[in-house]
Amino acid sequence: MKHFLVLLFLTSFLNTVAQSNYIPGKITTKDNKVIQGLIDYQNWKKTPNLIKFKNASSENLFSPEDIMAFEIENDKYVSKLVNLDVTEQRLDYMTKDQEVKFQEKQVFLNVLVTGNANLYEFYDGRSHFFVEKNNEVNELINRTSLVGSDISNTLIGTDTYVRTSKNYIGQLNYVMNDCDAISDLKNLDYTRKSLSKIFQQYNSCEDIVSEDQIYVKETEKVRSAFYITAGYAFSSYRIDSPVLYVKDFNGGSYNTPSFGIAYDVDLSKNLGKWSMKGEILYSFYDNEFKPKENNPNIKESTFYFKNSTVALDVLLKYSFKKENRRVIPFINIGLGYNFIVSDDNYIEYLRVGNISGNKEILDFDVDKGHFSFLGGAGVDYGRFSGELRIMVTNKVITEYGGSNSIFNAGVVVGYQVF
């Protein structure tokens, strides 16, 4: 039970640190003043309607009505008053010839490209792209609707068709008509990548003076690292079985070496704080346990516990990263599956009155694999990684084993190859 309490503590701690994630950023106030500080970045999928900002003098919540813009790392957001297309687009809730609806609201827009024409994105469960030119902001419309019979649309039910209105193509043809290099947009996709590319082409058009082109959102690169690893654990095996001969044993302690490879990949751009770590570890142990008490019917007995496993571990890792810090503490928690490569688990015993002196053997069957719960804390330093880790595995032996478990506490070290 205490082993699971430790894992529960690590889980709670991970949840606690996930509550806030302040990284360097800046805001632009309504009077066009830029203030440096920290912004609580939560790896937003949906565009935020509030941000937490703090510096040495204050800590505040800001809405799009409060500030003109904010920046974090390679992300820029600007505050704009827009007419947002809120027409229902979820197929299960749509009706034939439903009303087109727009909502005027002040929102943060993610800046994708700026220049003679700016491209922004707002995400509320679906992407809304906006174009700004000559200080006028308009949504690029790409709307789905349900209509009656129409051979040019997609049939989804009796006399019900889906129509996609790609109004954004006509809008962009109008906005970009002063650039001769852009003439045919009919196959342009309504995606961040495609729209960003065409806006970059327009802003670099030879017919246009593009002095205002100051920003193109960088493609987010996911950091990853490949390690060779080795470990050494102090292990404790516990067994409680009512089966004859087995019930004389309660387990014992031993050491478990391991080695393998690991792969660490960022889950977000928050200075690489959250990542997913995958491991393949080979472990082996060869141990002998003596009975906890003498059985009057048994002259001597030994529990042989011999296994080798290949573990596939997946861990959620949180690194306490700060700029210019070389030693980076981290914690992680996860789940592993241990494939049994070889096993030779049995009890060898000699019964009282056995004149021949030949020992008898009670073999144990094991499953092909078993799950483990993992948790740990450590530090990364340059290419090196060191971690103190615990691992809890239940029901290793299935036949005659009753309740049995392994508790490992040890170290895992790694070296980043690339």
Side-chain angles (χ1 to χ4, degrees), residues 327-365:
V327 178
I328 304 170
F330 67 82
I331 56 175
N332 56 33
I333 191 168
L335 188 68
Y337 190 79
N338 304 274
F339 294 92
I340 303 297
V341 177
S342 64
D343 70 277
D344 192 14
N345 305 300
Y346 60 95
I347 293 177
E348 187 178 68
Y349 59 95
L350 180 63
R351 281 190 271 194
V352 173
N354 187 327
I355 301 175
S356 67
N358 295 326
K359 293 182 178 179
E360 300 176 62
I361 290 178
L362 176 65
D363 281 315
F364 295 92
D365 286 337

Side-chain angles (χ1 to χ4, degrees), residues 14 24 47 78 116 122 139 189 203-205 247 328 364 398:
L14 276 171
T47 305
V78 294
N116 286 72
F122 178 83
E139 181 171 356
D189 293 328
N203 287 330
S204 61
C205 185
K247 65 181 180 180
I328 304 170
F364 295 92
T398 53

Side-chain angles (χ1 to χ4, degrees), residues 230-345:
Y232 194 82
F234 300 97
S235 304
S236 175
Y237 178 71
R238 291 289 176 263
I239 184 169
D240 184 9
S241 173
V243 176
L244 187 64
Y245 307 132
V246 185
K247 65 181 180 180
D248 297 338
F249 296 86
N250 63 359
S253 300
Y254 56 95
N255 300 323
T256 305
S258 60
F259 59 90
I261 57 176
Y263 188 72
D264 195 2
V265 58
D266 283 354
L267 294 179
S268 75
K269 63 184 180 183
N270 307 347
L271 297 175
K273 290 186 176 181
W274 286 104
S275 64
M276 187 68 72
K277 188 173 184 179
E279 296 177 335
I280 301 177
L281 291 178
Y282 175 76
S283 302
F284 53 94
Y285 35 94
D286 185 347
N287 311 283
E288 300 178 10
F289 304 139
K290 292 300 181 180
K292 58 186 176 183
E293 57 185 26
N294 293 326
N295 187 323
N297 298 314
I298 301 297
K299 187 175 182 180
E300 59 179 278
S301 62
T302 305
F303 192 139
Y304 293 93
F305 190 55
K306 305 177 182 181
N307 286 280
S308 61
T309 63
V310 172
L312 299 182
D313 301 329
V314 178
L315 299 105
L316 181 63
K317 178 180 176 182
Y318 183 85
S319 300
F320 297 87
K321 288 189 176 181
K322 290 186 178 180
E323 291 182 318
N324 302 319
R325 175 188 281 181
R326 296 193 66 189
V327 178
I328 304 170
F330 67 82
I331 56 175
N332 56 33
I333 191 168
L335 188 68
Y337 190 79
N338 304 274
F339 294 92
I340 303 297
V341 177
S342 64
D343 70 277
D344 192 14
N345 305 300

Side-chain angles (χ1 to χ4, degrees), residues 17-233:
V17 299
Q19 300 305 311
S20 62
N21 182 54
Y22 283 95
I23 64 175
K26 59 185 177 182
I27 62 170
T28 304
T29 63
K30 288 289 189 180
D31 57 0
N32 212 30
K33 182 180 179 181
V34 177
I35 303 175
Q36 303 284 344
L38 298 171
I39 294 175
D40 184 12
Y41 178 70
Q42 293 297 322
N43 196 30
W44 302 300
K45 176 64 173 176
K46 289 188 176 182
T47 305
N49 54 18
L50 285 172
I51 64 163
K52 294 179 182 179
F53 176 83
K54 67 180 180 180
N55 57 14
S57 60
S58 64
E59 182 172 348
N60 296 286
L61 285 174
F62 290 116
S63 70
E65 290 82 6
D66 301 323
I67 57 177
M68 290 178 59
F70 72 92
E71 295 184 32
I72 46 171
E73 295 184 351
N74 71 324
D75 253 336
K76 288 186 177 182
Y77 288 83
V78 294
S79 174
K80 297 288 183 180
L81 181 64
V82 301
N83 277 317
L84 185 67
D85 186 357
V86 293
T87 309
E88 180 62 67
Q89 294 292 275
R90 293 171 298 177
L91 197 60
D92 291 343
Y93 295 91
M94 291 168 60
T95 57
K96 284 186 182 180
D97 304 314
Q98 66 185 2
E99 180 184 359
V100 173
K101 295 181 180 180
F102 285 86
Q103 179 183 357
E104 185 177 76
K105 63 188 300 187
Q106 193 85 20
V107 296
F108 287 127
L109 298 177
N110 190 202
V111 182
L112 304 182
V113 181
T114 63
N116 286 72
N118 302 332
L119 175 65
Y120 306 124
E121 182 180 11
F122 178 83
Y123 188 85
D124 61 353
R126 64 185 177 101
S127 287
H128 302 256
F129 294 102
F130 289 82
V131 56
E132 181 180 33
K133 187 177 181 182
N134 299 327
N135 296 319
E136 184 179 342
V137 181
N138 292 293
E139 181 171 356
L140 296 171
I141 301 300
N142 182 49
R143 186 187 303 119
T144 298
S145 57
L146 298 183
V147 296
S149 297
D150 188 333
I151 60 173
S152 64
N153 299 309
T154 304
L155 180 66
I156 63 168
T158 305
D159 295 329
T160 302
Y161 291 76
V162 174
R163 172 187 293 165
T164 301
S165 301
K166 297 183 177 182
N167 296 0
Y168 66 93
I169 293 177
Q171 292 174 277
L172 290 179
N173 275 321
Y174 175 76
V175 168
M176 299 180 177
N177 65 2
D178 52 349
C179 178
D180 294 336
I182 298 176
S183 58
D184 186 8
L185 300 176
K186 65 180 180 181
N187 295 320
L188 182 67
D189 293 328
Y190 195 78
T191 63
R192 175 187 289 191
K193 182 178 179 180
S194 295
L195 292 173
S196 294
K197 183 177 179 179
I198 202 68
F199 270 76
Q200 290 178 60
Q201 291 176 0
Y202 173 73
N203 287 330
S204 61
C205 185
E206 292 181 359
D207 300 333
I208 298 173
V209 178
S210 190
E211 296 177 356
D212 294 329
Q213 185 175 356
I214 57 173
Y215 178 81
V216 175
K217 181 179 170 69
E218 295 180 7
T219 302
E220 296 175 10
K221 296 180 180 179
V222 178
R223 184 202 66 86
S224 60
F226 182 83
Y227 293 84
I228 54 173
T229 62
Y232 194 82

